[in-house]
Amino acid sequence: MKFLIIEQDLRVSGTSQGIISRSFLAKLRKSYPASTIDVLYLKHHPSDDHLHLLPVDSIKTYVLNLKIPFLIKWFNKLYWRLFHVSLQSIHIHKVYASYIAKIDYNKYDHIFIRSSGLDHEIILACKDLPILKKAIVNFHDPYPLFWYPGTKQKLTNLELFKIKEMYQVVSQAKVCTSTAFLMSDDLAYLYGNRKKFYTLPHQYSKEVFDLSDKSGSWKKNKKVLLSYHGAIMFGRNCDVLLDSYANLVNSSTIIKENTEFILRLKGDHFVRLCKKYDKSENIKILHCLDFSNSSYEQVHEASINIILENGPFYSNTLVGKAPFLASIEKPILVLAPERSELRLHIKDEQYIASYNDPKEVEQKLENLINKCLISQEPVAPFGDYFSDENFKVMLQTIFNSTEV
């Protein structure tokens, strides 16, 4: 079997998408060890991505020049207001398309086109290219940004025209997939239910990373370390979590003396949260780490890891850190809206609490802390959802759909 994977992000740090995409290649190799796997890697800027660690047969890498010509910038100021189409986006898509159009796609059994970022450039660049007729198009996030739960993006005519553009891609593609069941349902509905969206969740495989650097990781000072790594955006609510923990610290001498909470944050709320909790001896808010150090901290130092889903009312995306945290078999606490993707996959209610119920958050946080003070045995909050076997079953379902 021959595979072609078109990727936009294979970085080893600074982005969850790079970690997810690298792991996808590793899991694909595990599922089909005798197959041929070729990769076309189109990236924005030079970077050292440790591509030698990827279990593929070949990888062609191109650094794209996405600088917008002056005339296009100038005309676009008026053009998008009149016609609700961005000339700058069209230019970027043409740059990507110039590389994709050269592919001899007929020699492959399966072709994956995998999106990255919020603009889905690679997917949109394939519009009207014949490769789409053989392609499995993967959405990692909804498109356009207005449909992303938790965003403050307004619905404009420009956004509506983006839907029309993506509709053409969806119609031309052989198969469409997304990384979450709820998102698959939403995208199928958004684009007219004319094509089924299959689900292929994010994956994690440590074999495609060099995780030897632990020099910057936090060394825990108390018996139980709670840990959150990530951005505060798209309606994620860190305050209800930290307020609940602070209440436990203030009301329990045991928790105050035996626990600490380390947060590695990025986003607009970093400074605000630092000021809000600067007097707490148990809460430390720090900057994010590279993936090697972050991984070490969560795997070897943390006792309980935290996931904040998008909110406040709905989350139809699968957070990128879920398969990673599933692989380390430690307790987690997910803060989620009432309707969320992770509620479909968490097998034990002790590991998930509602954003809108501070008492539940505090109670479940306390229960997990008390259990960890007694024992830190391996657990499986996600069951086998991210297992190699389940990944291959989902892949096979997608491949079978292409034969109809």
Side-chain angles (χ1 to χ4, degrees):
M1 196 177 300
K2 292 186 176 182
F3 295 99
L4 172 65
I5 319 297
I6 304 177
E7 288 281 5
Q8 193 176 347
D9 190 349
L10 291 172
R11 288 176 289 172
V12 295
S13 194
T15 166
S16 61
Q17 184 59 40
I19 295 166
I20 291 161
S21 294
R22 296 173 70 90
S23 298
F24 170 80
L25 294 173
K27 289 293 188 83
L28 185 63
R29 173 61 73 195
K30 287 180 182 178
S31 297
Y32 300 95
S35 64
T36 297
I37 302 176
D38 295 334
V39 178
L40 176 63
Y41 183 21
L42 305 176
K43 58 182 182 177
H44 294 174
H45 50 75
S47 56
D48 180 11
D49 300 321
H50 299 180
L51 299 180
H52 63 283
L53 296 176
L54 299 176
V56 300
D57 294 276
S58 72
I59 180 165
K60 293 182 179 179
T61 304
Y62 299 95
V63 180
L64 278 56
N65 179 9
L66 299 179
K67 184 178 180 180
I68 307 297
F70 173 78
L71 284 177
I72 291 180
K73 282 186 177 180
W74 192 86
F75 280 116
N76 192 58
K77 291 180 180 180
L78 180 63
Y79 192 90
W80 75 265
R81 289 179 172 87
L82 291 176
F83 301 103
H84 314 298
V85 175
S86 169
L87 292 176
Q88 295 190 64
S89 295
I90 291 174
H91 174 78
I92 290 172
H93 298 160
K94 285 182 177 179
V95 174
Y96 278 98
S98 66
Y99 292 87
I100 298 171
K102 297 175 183 177
I103 298 170
D104 181 9
Y105 60 88
N106 285 317
K107 68 179 182 179
Y108 294 101
D109 298 296
H110 299 291
I111 299 169
F112 285 90
I113 300 172
R114 293 174 54 80
S115 65
S116 174
L118 295 173
D119 293 322
H120 295 55
E121 297 98 337
I122 280 185
I123 292 179
L124 289 166
C126 293
K127 184 173 74 74
D128 298 328
L129 294 182
I131 193 174
L132 263 183
K133 296 177 182 179
K134 287 196 67 173
I136 300 167
V137 175
N138 177 258
F139 289 74
H140 76 291
D141 282 320
Y143 184 87
L145 183 57
F146 174 82
W147 262 266
Y148 202 120
T151 184
K152 296 180 180 179
Q153 182 79 26
K154 295 182 179 179
L155 180 60
T156 63
N157 285 334
L158 185 61
E159 294 291 292
L160 291 173
F161 271 74
K162 286 180 179 180
I163 295 176
K164 293 178 66 176
E165 196 84 353
M166 188 61 82
Y167 169 78
Q168 295 179 58
V169 176
V170 170
S171 299
Q172 294 168 18
K174 190 169 190 179
V175 177
C176 289
T177 70
S178 89
T179 57
F181 282 105
L182 293 180
M183 184 160 64
S184 291
D185 288 344
D186 287 349
L187 290 177
Y189 181 76
L190 178 62
Y191 293 109
N193 280 332
R194 291 175 175 84
K195 181 162 296 194
K196 177 181 173 64
F197 275 71
Y198 293 83
T199 301
L200 188 65
H202 298 315
Q203 300 295 313
Y204 174 71
S205 182
K206 65 180 180 181
E207 291 83 4
V208 289
F209 301 95
D210 178 358
L211 302 176
S212 58
D213 184 9
K214 57 182 180 181
S215 59
S217 61
W218 181 271
K219 309 301 179 186
K220 71 176 180 180
N221 302 302
K222 300 188 178 183
K223 187 171 183 179
V224 171
L225 170 64
L226 293 91
S227 172
Y228 174 75
H229 290 233
I232 306 300
M233 58 183 184
F234 295 130
R236 298 170 192 171
N237 187 340
C238 199
D239 290 77
V240 65
L241 170 69
L242 290 175
D243 289 346
S244 296
Y245 175 71
N247 289 339
L248 292 174
V249 168
N250 293 332
S251 61
S252 170
T253 303
I254 293 176
I255 290 178
K256 182 175 183 178
E257 293 178 351
N258 291 279
T259 72
E260 57 186 331
F261 200 153
I262 305 301
L263 298 98
R264 299 282 188 177
L265 301 182
K266 59 182 178 180
D268 297 337
H269 295 273
F270 180 86
V271 174
R272 180 184 67 81
L273 290 170
C274 283
K275 290 181 179 179
K276 181 176 180 180
Y277 299 102
D278 64 345
K279 295 182 180 180
S280 173
E281 297 180 359
N282 294 72
I283 298 173
K284 302 294 181 184
I285 299 176
L286 308 170
H287 289 288
C288 287
L289 298 167
D290 61 80
F291 183 61
S292 180
N293 279 280
S294 174
S295 171
Y296 185 88
E297 197 168 289
Q298 293 173 86
V299 173
H300 298 285
E301 300 293 338
S303 309
I304 301 169
N305 287 294
I306 305 297
I307 293 177
L308 301 181
E309 273 201 287
N310 295 344
F313 310 113
Y314 180 46
S315 177
N316 66 352
T317 59
L318 177 65
V319 293
K321 63 168 59 70
F324 164 69
L325 293 180
S327 73
I328 67 179
E329 299 182 322
K330 287 192 171 186
I332 62 170
L333 181 62
V334 178
L335 267 63
E338 287 304 315
R339 187 161 184 249
S340 81
E341 179 70 14
L342 287 185
R343 288 188 185 275
L344 302 178
H345 310 304
I346 296 291
K347 300 303 179 183
D348 190 327
E349 284 294 319
Q350 69 175 315
Y351 299 120
I352 193 163
S354 298
Y355 275 131
N356 61 2
D357 191 343
K359 289 184 178 179
E360 182 190 22
V361 174
E362 186 172 332
Q363 181 184 41
K364 290 189 175 180
L365 198 57
E366 182 179 21
N367 290 342
L368 288 176
I369 289 172
N370 288 334
K371 287 184 179 181
C372 286
L373 286 171
I374 298 171
S375 172
Q376 298 195 15
E377 293 294 318
V379 296
F382 295 97
D384 63 352
Y385 185 63
F386 296 108
S387 68
D388 295 347
E389 294 78 11
N390 196 39
F391 175 72
K392 187 170 184 179
V393 168
M394 289 184 162
L395 268 183
Q396 200 59 54
T397 300
I398 293 168
F399 294 160
N400 289 340
S401 74
T402 70
E403 298 169 1
V404 177

